[in-house]
C-alpha cells in the first residue's frame, strides 16, 4: 500500500469512520437480537451472544487504528469485512478509488 496519504482523503476518512462504525454496530445489534430471540435455551443464547460479542468487538467495524499510516489498510479491511462498499469511497481521490476498485476486482477474480 502507498504510505503517502492525500490530506483531503485523510480528512474525509476521519469524518466518515464514525458513521460507518455506527451503521455496522446497528447491524450487529440486529444480529444479536436474532440470537436472543431464537428458540434456544436461555443459557445457550447467553453464551452464543457472549462469544459473538467477544469476536465482533475486535473487528474493524468496531475498533479501528486511526493512524494516518494505517488508512489504506483500514479501508481494505472495511471493504473486505463488508463494513463499507466501493460506492462509499465516493468523494475520495480518483487515485485512491481506482486502487481499491483494482484490488476488489482482483479479489473477485481470485474467488472464481
Amino acid at each position: 500500500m502507498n504510505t503517502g496519504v492525500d490530506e483531503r482523503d485523510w480528512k474525509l476518512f476521519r469524518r466518515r469512520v464514525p458513521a460507518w462504525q455506527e451503521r455496522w454496530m446497528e447491524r450487529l445489534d440486529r444480529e444479536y437480537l436474532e440470537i436472543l430471540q431464537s428458540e434456544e435455551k436461555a443459557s445457550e443464547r447467553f453464551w452464543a451472544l457472549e462469544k459473538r460479542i467477544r469476536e465482533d468487538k475486535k473487528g474493524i467495524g468496531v475498533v479501528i487504528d486511526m493512524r494516518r499510516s494505517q488508512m489504506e489498510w483500514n479501508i481494505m479491511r472495511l471493504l473486505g469485512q463488508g463494513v463499507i462498499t466501493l460506492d462509499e469511497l465516493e468523494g475520495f481521490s480518483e487515485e485512491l478509488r481506482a486502487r481499491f476498485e483494482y484490488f476488489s476486482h482482483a479479489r473477485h477474480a481470485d474467488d472464481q
Side-chain angles (χ1 to χ4, degrees):
M1 287 277 140
N2 180 11
T3 58
V5 174
D6 179 78
E7 182 68 20
R8 193 174 65 87
D9 286 340
W10 173 238
K11 287 180 179 180
L12 183 57
F13 178 74
R14 287 190 351 234
R15 278 196 314 271
R16 289 194 180 172
V17 163
W20 291 341
Q21 288 180 303
E22 192 64 28
R23 187 186 66 227
W24 182 251
M25 286 186 243
E26 286 286 341
R27 176 179 165 178
L28 292 177
D29 287 348
R30 287 190 301 274
E31 292 173 7
Y32 299 157
L33 280 174
E34 289 176 17
I35 292 170
L36 291 171
Q37 294 171 343
S38 74
E39 298 296 320
E40 302 293 327
K41 294 188 324 187
S43 60
E44 292 172 359
R45 291 190 312 255
F46 175 86
W47 291 114
L49 182 60
E50 190 276 335
K51 178 182 178 187
R52 177 69 190 273
I53 290 173
R54 188 173 359 108
E55 293 168 0
D56 289 342
K57 70 181 182 180
K58 299 174 190 171
I60 188 80
V62 176
V63 173
I64 191 165
D65 180 355
M66 287 300 289
R67 287 181 290 170
R68 185 180 186 136
S69 63
Q70 295 298 305
M71 185 187 87
E72 290 189 13
W73 287 113
N74 286 333
I75 291 172
M76 180 72 76
R77 291 179 60 213
L78 288 162
L79 288 165
Q81 292 182 18
V83 176
I84 63 171
T85 65
L86 285 172
D87 291 340
E88 292 176 279
L89 297 180
E90 190 66 37
F92 285 90
S93 68
E94 184 64 36
E95 178 186 337
L96 183 134
R97 288 195 326 268
R99 191 166 33 257
F100 287 105
E101 286 172 10
Y102 171 80
F103 285 126
S104 178
H105 294 314
R107 189 180 81 198
H108 290 307
D110 288 343
D111 292 343
Q112 295 176 1

